[in-house]
Amino acid sequence: MNQDESSAKALKGTFYYDIISPFSYFYIKQRHRLDQRVAIEPVPILLGGLFRATDNRGPGEVEAKRPHTYQYCVWLAEKLGLPFCFPEHHPFLTVAAQRLLVQENANWEMVERAFEYVWVEGKDPNLSWPEFCLHLGLSADTPKPDSPEIKAKLISNTERAKLDGAFGVPTLIVNDHAFWGVDTIDWVLDYLDRPNMFEETAYHYAAQVPSGL
C-alpha cells in the first residue's frame, strides 16, 4: 500500500499549532509515529487567543514555571535527538507568522520550516521577516498579511480549536477527542487500538469528577 492509499484509509485528524510552542515542534518531529493510523491536517491558530478564550496561560507567562519549562525543553530535545535553540526572546508575538501560514495554506513541509526557523535557527520571525519568508520558500518581499479575510480565518481557526476542546497546543483532534501535549502521542495510539476507551466507566467518571473547591 502506497502513502496515498494509506492516507485515504486512515482516520482524519486535526492538529492545532502555533510556532510559539516548543512542544509543538517536538510533536511534529514525531508525528511519523501516527502516519499509518491518522491523516493529520495542520491548522494554524493564535495561541494567545485560545488562552484568552479558555482562561488559560502558558508557562512562559508564569515566572515560577519559566526556567523549569525551558530547561525541560532543552532536556527533551536532547532525549529526542533533535536540534534545538531558543529564539532571541520568548514568548513573542506570532500573529503575523500564523497569518502567513493561513494565507499560504501551509502544508507539512512549510509548517516544519516555520518551526525550524524558530526552534532550530533560534529566531523570532518579527525581527527578520524577509529571511523568515525565504526560509518558508517564499519571496523575501512577501508582506505581512493584513487582509480582513486572512485575519478572520485565523480567528475562526482559533475559535474552532476551542470548540473542538483545545485549550493549548499542540492539540490533536481525533474522533472528536482532544489530545493535548507532546506526551499524548502514545495515548492516541492506545486509543486507536481501543476505540471505546472513553466510554469505559473510569474515563467517563474522570471527565466529570465534581470539584471540591
Side-chain angles (χ1 to χ4, degrees), residues 99-117:
R99 285 177 182 168
L100 182 62
L101 293 166
V102 169
Q103 175 179 279
E104 298 302 319
N105 193 25
N107 60 17
W108 274 116
E109 180 181 359
M110 182 175 285
V111 171
E112 286 208 38
R113 286 172 178 261
F115 273 100
E116 288 169 356
Y117 189 78

Side-chain angles (χ1 to χ4, degrees), residues 143-154:
K144 293 182 178 180
D146 196 40
S147 75
E149 294 79 11
I150 297 302
K151 291 179 179 179
K153 179 61 175 173
L154 183 58

Side-chain angles (χ1 to χ4, degrees), residues 186-205:
D186 286 326
W187 190 6
V188 174
L189 290 169
D190 283 350
Y191 164 69
L192 296 175
D193 289 334
R194 201 166 116 212
N196 294 322
M197 175 186 288
F198 292 100
E199 298 170 21
E200 296 172 10
T201 301
Y203 285 86
H204 183 71
Y205 178 72

Side-chain angles (χ1 to χ4, degrees), residues 161-176:
K162 179 191 175 183
L163 291 174
D164 279 348
F167 50 86
V169 294
T171 293
L172 177 67
I173 308 297
V174 180
N175 285 343
D176 297 322

Side-chain angles (χ1 to χ4, degrees), residues 48 50-58 61 167-168 180:
L50 182 61
F51 279 161
R52 288 189 292 274
T54 56
D55 193 25
N56 195 8
R57 286 198 297 167
E61 299 176 82
F167 50 86
W180 167 72

Side-chain angles (χ1 to χ4, degrees), residues 106-156:
N107 60 17
W108 274 116
E109 180 181 359
M110 182 175 285
V111 171
E112 286 208 38
R113 286 172 178 261
F115 273 100
E116 288 169 356
Y117 189 78
V118 176
W119 298 108
V120 177
E121 300 297 322
K123 296 182 178 179
D124 173 352
N126 298 298
L127 302 180
S128 49
W129 185 258
E131 183 182 340
F132 176 63
C133 293
L134 287 172
H135 196 83
L136 298 189
L138 304 173
S139 171
D141 60 2
T142 301
K144 293 182 178 180
D146 196 40
S147 75
E149 294 79 11
I150 297 302
K151 291 179 179 179
K153 179 61 175 173
L154 183 58
I155 291 170
S156 175

